[in-house]
């Protein structure tokens, strides 16, 4: 409930405990600009983008805290990405993936290497965790 209230007060810019259309539109415009890095963007906001935005801005939510702790534990070199090297280090150091055979482990790693990149940042991690 607290996270829902925090999301509401994020919309309530003038702190009058109500949200008018101008405040809601301002949030939507800001969200679109943040998600696309384009100040003139008029595209739609996807549920994944909205989830990432809410988790980033509703900082005290328990879910956001848990996702951040999990991400930080997986990001072994603390470079802001979970990379293959991070996963290999976890596997070798802590037997973190000891119940997975090599093929299963490779599937986990491939999920992290989206489009052949060098790892997954926090926003991508949140999107992955929020998939249903």
């Amino acid at each position: 409930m607290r996270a829902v209230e925090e999301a509401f007060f994020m919309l309530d810019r003038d702190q009058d405990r109500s949200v008018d259309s101008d405040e809601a539109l301002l949030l939507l415009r800001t969200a679109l600009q943040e998600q696309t890095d384009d100040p003139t963007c008029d595209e739609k906001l996807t549920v994944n983008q909205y989830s990432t935005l809410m988790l980033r801005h509703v900082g005290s939510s328990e879910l956001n805290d848990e996702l951040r702790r999990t991400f930080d534990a997986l990001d072994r070199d603390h470079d802001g990405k979970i990379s293959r090297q991070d996963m290999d280090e976890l596997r070798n150091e802590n037997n973190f993936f000891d119940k997975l055979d090599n093929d299963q482990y490779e599937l986990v790693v491939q999920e992290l290497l989206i489009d052949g990149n060098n790892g997954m940042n926090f926003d991508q991690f949140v999107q992955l965790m929020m998939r249903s």
Side-chain angles (χ1 to χ4, degrees), residues 6-14 18-19 23-24 27-28:
E6 287 180 29
F8 177 84
F9 290 118
M10 192 174 97
L11 290 167
D12 183 18
R13 299 281 181 169
D14 59 8
S18 66
V19 176
E23 290 168 319
L27 176 72
L28 181 58

Side-chain angles (χ1 to χ4, degrees), residues 28 32 36 40-45:
L28 181 58
L32 287 169
T36 63
T40 62
C41 181
D42 285 333
E43 294 183 20
K44 295 178 181 177
L45 184 66

